[in-house]
Amino acid sequence: MYRTERLHLRPSRTDDASAVLAAIGDQDIVRNLGSAPWPYTLADAEQFVAAAFNPEEPRLLAFHGDERSQVLVGVAGLDRMPGGEVELGYWIAKSHWGQGLATELGARMIGIARDELKLTRLTAGYFIDNPASGRVLAKLGFCHVADPVHRKSRAREEMALCQMCALGI
C-alpha cells in the first residue's frame, strides 16, 4: 500500500498475528506503549490484526525485505484522541532498533497525515525513560509542548511520565 526507501507498509491481515507476536513480544518494547498488555499473547496479536482498517486513522504494519522474504519490523498508526487531536504512535521490533527505521516509518506516516488526511498538526508522546523515542520524534521535527504528564502504561500497570510533543505539518 505504501513504501519508503527500505519499508513496505500495509494494513494488517488475519494471517499476520504470529508475525506481530514475534516482533512485539519483548517487554522492552511493550512497556513503552500505552495500551499494549504484558505479557503480549497470540490472542492479543489476533485481536490487533483483526481490527478493521480505518483510512481516517490508519494503522500500518511495516515490513523490510523484498517481496518474497519480508520481515515485520514494526507498526505505526495515526489515532484520533478524545480531545480531537491526532497522535502518531509506533513501535519497532527490538532486533531492528538503531537502524533508523522508526524515523523512516514516522516520516512516511507524517506524509500520510499531511497529504491524504489533510492534517495540519500531529501530536506524539514518549515515556521519559525511553529517550530513544524522544530522539526519533526530534528528528521528525516534533517539539515539546508542555511539561511531562502522567499517562497510563497498560504493560507497566501504572502511570508513567510522558513527554508530549507536537508537529505542524
Side-chain angles (χ1 to χ4, degrees):
M1 181 175 223
Y2 299 98
R3 290 201 170 276
T4 71
E5 182 179 328
R6 298 179 290 171
L7 300 172
H8 170 73
L9 284 61
R10 64 163 172 80
S12 62
R13 300 185 303 232
T14 56
D15 63 345
D16 290 322
S18 61
V20 168
L21 179 61
I24 197 175
D26 187 300
Q27 192 171 14
D28 288 341
I29 297 168
V30 179
R31 73 182 308 276
N32 289 312
L33 304 175
S35 61
W38 185 257
Y40 196 89
T41 67
L42 181 58
D44 296 316
E46 289 170 341
Q47 182 179 6
F48 178 81
V49 300
F53 181 73
N54 178 351
E56 296 300 313
E57 295 183 61
R59 183 185 321 149
L60 301 169
L61 278 62
F63 295 87
H64 186 267
D66 61 35
E67 293 296 326
R68 291 168 285 146
S69 60
Q70 293 191 346
V71 175
L72 178 67
V73 299
V75 172
L78 299 170
D79 297 309
R80 188 156 306 273
M81 305 310 288
E85 292 193 295
V86 176
E87 185 172 28
L88 169 66
Y90 58 88
W91 60 264
I92 298 292
K94 195 171 186 180
S95 60
H96 297 279
W97 286 3
Q99 299 173 26
L101 295 176
T103 305
E104 189 172 328
L105 179 56
R108 186 64 183 105
M109 296 304 292
I110 290 168
I112 292 168
R114 179 190 56 241
D115 301 336
E116 294 184 23
L117 302 179
K118 306 301 183 200
L119 299 175
T120 59
R121 176 181 155 94
L122 283 177
T123 63
Y126 65 94
F127 292 120
I128 62 169
D129 60 358
N130 181 16
S133 192
R135 289 189 295 275
V136 167
L137 293 174
K139 286 179 199 175
L140 292 170
F142 283 84
C143 297
H144 294 179
V145 293
D147 290 334
V149 297
H150 284 92
R151 284 185 89 174
K152 183 179 180 176
S153 169
R154 186 172 170 201
R156 298 176 194 219
E157 298 181 338
E158 64 183 11
M159 302 294 275
L161 276 177
C162 181
Q163 178 62 63
M164 295 306 298
C165 303
L167 172 69
I169 55 175

